[in-house]
Amino acid sequence: MFEVGALREWMLTNDVESKLYSAFWRSFEHYKVEETAEFREVFPNYDSTYLDLKIDSVSIKFSNNYPDFDYNHVVATLNMEYSDHVVGYYKLFFNFDGTVDDDMFVIY
């Protein structure tokens, strides 16, 4: 059986929460600049006090590599709510050594 405490300890050791929020804000700032029209549509009259971020899940992902299990990640997902509406999510993919491998910024 998998011990949840091991994942929690791994998260603390690798500073997952801090890395997740820092990476999110970098991506969010890029989004504001690179997708200006969409940003204005999704975040009308943007006010950061209306943006609520919540860690939705942390999971271990074995990606299309059965039975080898040689491409794996811990995935932390952050939900974005703006003015009480879920507008998207942000995922950060960690290698098992704690380094960041990839991310995904999705607006609905």
Side-chain angles (χ1 to χ4, degrees), residues 60-66 68-73 75 96:
I60 297 175
K61 181 175 175 83
F62 302 102
S63 304
N64 297 322
N65 59 355
Y66 181 83
D68 298 326
F69 295 114
D70 58 357
Y71 186 67
N72 312 304
H73 294 96
V75 182
F96 284 173

Side-chain angles (χ1 to χ4, degrees), residues 2 19 30 36 39-40 45-46 48 52 68 72 79 87 98:
F2 184 78
K19 288 178 182 177
H30 288 317
T36 306
F39 179 81
R40 288 184 187 138
N45 303 313
Y46 177 69
S48 62
D52 190 21
D68 298 326
N72 312 304
N79 280 343
V87 295

Side-chain angles (χ1 to χ4, degrees), residues 50-65:
Y50 295 115
L51 181 61
D52 190 21
L53 305 174
K54 296 179 182 173
I55 296 177
D56 177 63
S57 65
V58 177
S59 61
I60 297 175
K61 181 175 175 83
F62 302 102
S63 304
N64 297 322
N65 59 355

Side-chain angles (χ1 to χ4, degrees), residues 2-15:
F2 184 78
E3 174 57 44
V4 173
L7 180 58
R8 187 176 293 124
E9 182 63 32
W10 184 91
M11 289 175 61
L12 291 170
T13 299
N14 290 286
D15 201 19

